Amino acid sequence: MMTVLRSVAAQTRPRVLPTAGPEISSCWFTSSPRNASTITFGERAQKEQKEEAAAVGGGGAAAGGGKGKEVASYWGVPPSKLTKEDGSEWKWNCFRPWETYQADLSIDLKKHHVPKTFLDKFAYWTVKSLRLPTDIFFQRRYGCRAMMLETVAAVPGMVGGMLLHCKSLRRFEPSGGWIKALLEEAENERMHLMTFMEVAKPKWYERALVFAVQGVFFNAYFVAYLASPKLAHRITGYLEEEAIHSYTEFLKELDKGNIENVKAPAIAIDYWRLPANSTLRDVVMVVRADEAHHRDVNHFASDIHYQGLELKDSPAPIGYH
């Protein structure tokens, strides 16, 4: 009787026929589901790669006279196609249109945190002592000075954001937005560097100096943040005050004609939404404003710790610049 029932069930079971193209979904009904699933994904990936190649340049190298390169992805991640407001192609991969902004130039550039406690005085004189060798090495070469300054200024936000991220994971608690705020600061400082790299072409020994300074400063700041976040943020606040001073001197040299006021780099025009006819002076103005905002954020963060609180107890000034 069981044999007869199995025979009848086999005859009445609906048969699933494979459809044409990569949309085959019969892997659940075949005797070898793993093989069928692999074939399905493989065919789909091949089809998507061909479509991407045709859309990008009609076949990669062939479209570019043998110079183009076709990026193939098994995972089918499509390349982003962005445009500006005027419809022209967006050519920057290091930042996107929604990350651009117009700098607030009305910020108070003369604010200064007067050191009163021992830690504040230690932070203040540490930063002052770091300025002396910088002045000796770079003299009036403010373009190269800015390049070096930004390789250092982009470190504190990354270190602070990283350590807060790990702390949030350990304690199973939110950060109050401070992880994002500090990483936003680090990214902004890095964009300063990308801009000044277009203006000042560093020599080999200046690049070597960046390796040495960044290696020492990163580890020193990492230890300082672990030991005392309020000290670390205060140091960064004073670093930003010195950055404001340096960019003010940069502007004076531009106004005197000692430094040529060249056309602003294209990356700066798009990042800060500057007019198309902007110059280097306009770039220095917006960079200096950014540094003033970072000054406020870090002194604010240090004050929170001085009050016996944690950063998560106060909402982070995300997008403050």
Side-chain angles (χ1 to χ4, degrees), residues 96-317:
R96 292 295 188 260
W98 53 85
E99 296 171 334
T100 63
Y101 63 98
Q102 290 180 324
D104 177 15
L105 300 180
S106 65
I107 188 170
D108 185 1
L109 299 173
K110 297 182 179 180
K111 279 200 301 184
H112 167 64
H113 181 276
V114 179
K116 297 179 180 179
T117 67
F118 170 76
L119 284 182
D120 282 358
K121 293 178 181 178
F122 178 80
Y124 179 77
W125 289 110
T126 297
V127 173
K128 283 295 184 182
S129 64
L130 293 175
R131 183 179 180 86
L132 180 61
T134 305
D135 290 340
I136 295 174
F137 184 82
F138 289 105
Q139 300 293 325
R140 295 289 178 178
R141 294 180 296 127
Y142 285 101
C144 294
R145 179 195 289 260
M147 179 270 301
M148 171 62 71
L149 177 67
E150 300 302 342
T151 62
V152 173
V155 169
M158 180 59 65
V159 171
M162 175 184 66
L163 291 177
L164 284 180
H165 175 75
C166 293
K167 182 179 180 180
S168 177
L169 296 178
R170 291 194 309 270
R171 295 189 176 184
F172 308 99
E173 62 184 16
S175 70
W178 279 94
I179 296 173
K180 185 174 183 179
L182 293 178
L183 294 182
E184 183 183 76
E185 174 188 318
E187 175 66 9
N188 181 247
E189 297 284 9
R190 192 184 64 83
M191 288 305 302
H192 294 175
L193 174 63
M194 297 298 103
T195 298
F196 283 111
M197 285 294 293
E198 299 294 324
V199 177
K201 305 298 182 182
K203 300 178 175 59
W204 68 268
Y205 57 85
E206 291 173 333
R207 290 176 177 268
L209 183 62
V210 169
F211 271 85
V213 172
Q214 190 182 83
V216 173
F217 183 74
F218 181 94
N219 289 284
Y221 193 85
F222 181 88
V223 173
Y225 204 100
L226 285 175
S228 175
K230 62 183 176 184
L231 171 64
H233 282 293
R234 192 68 81 201
I235 289 175
T236 307
Y238 286 130
L239 279 173
E240 300 296 356
E241 290 185 16
E242 291 298 324
I244 294 170
H245 175 73
S246 294
Y247 284 118
T248 300
E249 294 298 314
F250 197 164
L251 288 171
K252 290 179 180 178
E253 294 298 310
L254 283 167
D255 292 338
K256 291 178 182 178
N258 296 332
I259 299 176
E260 183 181 1
N261 190 23
V262 298
K263 179 178 172 55
I267 190 173
I269 291 175
D270 285 342
Y271 183 68
W272 282 285
R273 302 177 189 172
L274 296 172
N277 61 346
S278 297
T279 62
L280 177 59
R281 191 182 191 282
D282 299 315
V283 174
V284 176
M285 289 284 288
V286 295
V287 171
R288 186 178 63 169
D290 286 348
E291 305 294 5
H293 286 91
H294 299 326
R295 170 205 61 193
D296 292 354
V297 170
N298 281 279
H299 281 316
F300 172 52
S302 184
D303 288 345
I304 293 174
H305 284 290
Y306 266 105
Q307 295 170 17
L309 304 174
E310 295 188 19
L311 294 183
K312 66 181 180 65
D313 297 324
S314 181

